[in-house]
Amino acid sequence: MTKVQPRVLADLIKRPIVTEKATVLLENNQYTFDVDRRATKPQIKAAIEDLFDVKVTGVNTYNLPKKAKRVGRFIGHRTQYKRAIVTLAPESKINLFPDV
């Protein structure tokens, strides 16, 4: 396990992703999160295990491509981020949709 302060681990995970593809992955006990671009797979694993108290068996990451953003006559790019697909152990589960 990576030796990182728990306070720093919480800042690595930006938000969970709830898209059509991400909800299909929920059937395989895989959850999708936006994470900090500098986060490594061991850090992501430690952060998810610490925040949600679950057992992570695998982490897959990918960087999304740049998207152009125009403000007046100036063209730039949106802030880039990394997306992580986290596979949990069969007995673990994250409740993304709490009962209302």
Side-chain angles (χ1 to χ4, degrees):
M1 187 172 195
T2 305
K3 301 290 184 191
V4 180
Q5 296 176 353
R7 194 176 65 164
V8 174
L9 288 178
D11 293 335
L12 294 178
I13 308 300
K14 302 294 183 194
R15 63 184 160 270
I17 302 297
V18 183
T19 60
E20 188 173 351
K21 181 180 177 181
T23 53
V24 170
L25 289 175
L26 290 176
E27 296 173 0
N28 299 329
N29 214 16
Q30 295 178 322
Y31 295 84
T32 308
F33 296 94
D34 277 347
V35 296
D36 189 81
R37 285 194 61 202
R38 297 167 300 206
T40 62
K41 288 182 181 184
Q43 289 173 340
I44 294 168
K45 179 180 178 179
I48 296 295
E49 287 178 344
D50 186 52
L51 289 174
F52 297 106
D53 196 30
V54 294
K55 176 75 173 118
V56 175
T57 58
V59 177
N60 295 333
T61 61
Y62 61 96
N63 290 310
L64 295 162
K66 289 183 180 180
K67 289 192 176 183
K69 178 92 171 172
R70 183 182 182 122
V71 179
R73 63 181 181 153
F74 303 103
I75 298 175
H77 296 285
R78 272 191 358 194
T79 305
Q80 280 195 290
Y81 52 93
K82 185 185 277 190
R83 194 162 280 178
I85 299 174
V86 178
T87 305
L88 300 182
E91 65 274 359
S92 298
K93 186 172 182 173
I94 297 175
N95 191 6
L96 291 179
F97 309 106
D99 296 331
V100 178

